[in-house]
């Protein structure tokens, strides 16, 4: 069977439009160079995330996303015009004028959701390219690939389609290992609700398993108290046994204390701990990602370059002492690499009225 290749007709648009300078002649003696603006201050990823949220809220429709340049330690904010660029620079960030607003890219995502919700695909806004990046795994072929290409081509250069050599799947098989009848997942973060101890893990884990132990065939340590999958991918388990529950992540050679939850930032370096592959790191590549698993669609995820494998599901995504996400799924493995998606922790805490602890 012949398979059509993804169209390469899309044009990558980078930078701002060229500005033509056609003023009258100026003598070298009287011409004065415009002052060079000072470089933006260096920021940590956490500081950049807070600054980005404030700036985007203030710019309203004038902002088009943001990302953290980890090498230069600066925040880059996409804007649509020079007035917004001046406002961004005044706030200490680097401004980048782009073609499409978040609203326009959001409209493209809505079309994809309506016409191309195909198992084995994902999409997210990439602020570095000012596009919606659609990824199709190796199971998307034939008529389904044709449909995806047709929808993407209809959206023009707002959309770029890429292929993944792996298969998008949830990572149940799996912090610390937690076991239930029929599978193993990983504990995400210990939390407190109403003064009682609980822990968070992936929703596709709690949809499949209701009672948990800390060893295969061991005594029960917790029972499900809440679950959401698909749409979301978070689950809440209430401790029923006398199990220690410190607010920390297992580094498999030490521990990392967790004191708070926070939002991830594109470009941020993060770590993941899981019971199959233990600790790996990578970078955040997108926020608010949509993944169409075989079991259903999950939206609002953190997309990263961190690898993961079956059994890592529910495990901790964190940066220093900040809880960021719960391992949902992805493609690839920790030998060949891949991409992994995470359920944001703040959303799960809000849904369950819980807090890190």
């Amino acid at each position: 069977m012949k398979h059509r290749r993804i169209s390469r007709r899309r044009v990558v648009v980078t930078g701002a439009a060229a500005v033509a300078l056609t003023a009258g002649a100026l003598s070298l003696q009287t011409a004065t160079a415009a002052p060079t603006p000072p470089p933006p201050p260096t920021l940590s990823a956490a500081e950049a995330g807070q600054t980005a949220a404030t700036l985007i809220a203030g710019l309203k429709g004038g902002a088009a996303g943001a990302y953290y340049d980890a090498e230069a330690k600066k925040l880059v904010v996409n804007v649509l015009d020079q007035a917004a660029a001046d406002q961004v620079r005044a706030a200490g960030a680097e401004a980048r004028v782009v073609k499409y607003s978040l609203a326009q890219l959001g409209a493209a995502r809505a079309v994809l959701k309506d016409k191309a919700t195909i198992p084995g695909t994902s999409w997210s806004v990439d602020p570095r390219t000012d596009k919606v990046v659609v990824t199709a795994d190796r199971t998307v072929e034939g008529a389904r690939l044709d449909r995806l290409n047709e929808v993407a081509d209809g959206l023009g250069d707002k959309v770029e389609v890429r292929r993944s050599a792996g298969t998008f799947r949830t990572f149940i098989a799996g912090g610390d290992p937690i076991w239930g009848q029929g599978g193993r997942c990983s504990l995400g973060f210990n939390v407190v609700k109403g003064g009682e101890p609980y822990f968070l893990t992936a929703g596709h884990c709690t949809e499949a398993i209701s009672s948990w132990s800390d060893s295969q065939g061991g005594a029960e340590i917790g029972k499900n108290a809440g679950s959401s999958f698909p749409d979301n991918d978070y689950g809440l388990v209430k401790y029923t046994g006398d199990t220690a529950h410190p607010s920390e992540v297992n580094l498999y050679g030490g521990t990392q204390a967790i004191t708070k939850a926070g939002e991830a930032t594109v470009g941020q370096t993060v770590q993941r701990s899981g019971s199959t592959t233990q600790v790996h790191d990578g970078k955040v590549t997108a926020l608010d990602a949509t993944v169409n698993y075989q079991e259903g669609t999950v939206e609002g995820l953190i997309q990263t370059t961190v690898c993961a494998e079956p059994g890592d599901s529910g495990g901790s995504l964190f940066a220093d002492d900040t809880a960021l996400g719960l391992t949902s799924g992805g493609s690839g493995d920790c030998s060949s690499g891949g991409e992994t998606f995470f359920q944001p922790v703040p959303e799960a805490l809000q849904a369950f009225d819980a807090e890190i602890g």
Side-chain angles (χ1 to χ4, degrees), residues 10-11 13 99-101 103-109 112 124-126 129-134 152-160:
R10 302 176 190 84
V11 179
V13 180
K99 183 176 181 180
Y100 294 115
S101 69
Q104 289 172 304
L105 297 179
R109 286 171 56 113
L112 288 165
S124 60
V125 172
D126 182 357
T129 62
D130 191 39
K131 293 177 180 291
V132 177
V133 174
V134 180
D153 286 340
L155 293 168
D157 66 352
K158 297 186 190 71
V159 172
E160 178 183 350

Side-chain angles (χ1 to χ4, degrees), residues 44-214:
S44 68
E47 291 170 332
Q50 294 170 353
T51 302
T54 301
L55 276 172
I56 290 173
L59 290 168
K60 298 180 180 177
Y67 60 95
Y68 180 61
D69 183 336
E71 184 174 344
K73 295 187 182 332
K74 65 183 179 182
L75 173 66
V76 181
V77 179
N78 293 339
V79 295
L80 301 176
D81 54 48
Q82 195 58 49
D86 292 341
Q87 190 174 339
V88 166
R89 294 189 187 104
E94 179 174 313
R96 178 169 168 261
V97 179
V98 297
K99 183 176 181 180
Y100 294 115
S101 69
L102 286 178
Q104 289 172 304
L105 297 179
R109 286 171 56 113
V111 172
L112 288 165
K113 180 178 180 179
D114 181 50
K115 297 182 178 181
T117 297
I118 299 167
T121 61
S122 71
W123 50 75
S124 60
V125 172
D126 182 357
R128 292 156 300 188
T129 62
D130 191 39
K131 293 177 180 291
V132 177
V133 174
V134 180
T135 304
D137 74 15
R138 64 184 180 184
T139 68
V140 181
E141 54 187 2
R144 296 193 303 167
L145 182 56
D146 291 344
R147 176 155 59 98
L148 179 64
N149 277 332
E150 181 180 359
V151 173
D153 286 340
L155 293 168
D157 66 352
K158 297 186 190 71
V159 172
E160 178 183 350
V161 178
R162 301 174 183 171
R163 292 306 303 260
S164 171
T167 301
F168 289 134
R169 66 197 192 282
T170 53
F171 286 136
I172 187 168
D176 287 330
I178 49 175
W179 296 83
Q181 186 171 2
R184 171 172 58 85
C185 285
S186 296
L187 190 150
F189 298 98
N190 284 318
V191 300
V192 175
K193 174 182 169 66
E196 297 292 327
Y198 294 75
F199 65 80
L200 295 174
T201 188
H204 68 266
C205 294
T206 50
E207 288 294 318
I209 299 168
S210 60
S211 176
W212 298 93
S213 65
D214 58 5

Side-chain angles (χ1 to χ4, degrees), residues 18-59:
V19 179
L21 300 177
T22 55
L26 294 175
S27 69
L28 292 177
Q29 290 81 1
T30 60
T32 303
T36 302
T42 59
L43 299 171
S44 68
E47 291 170 332
Q50 294 170 353
T51 302
T54 301
L55 276 172
I56 290 173
L59 290 168

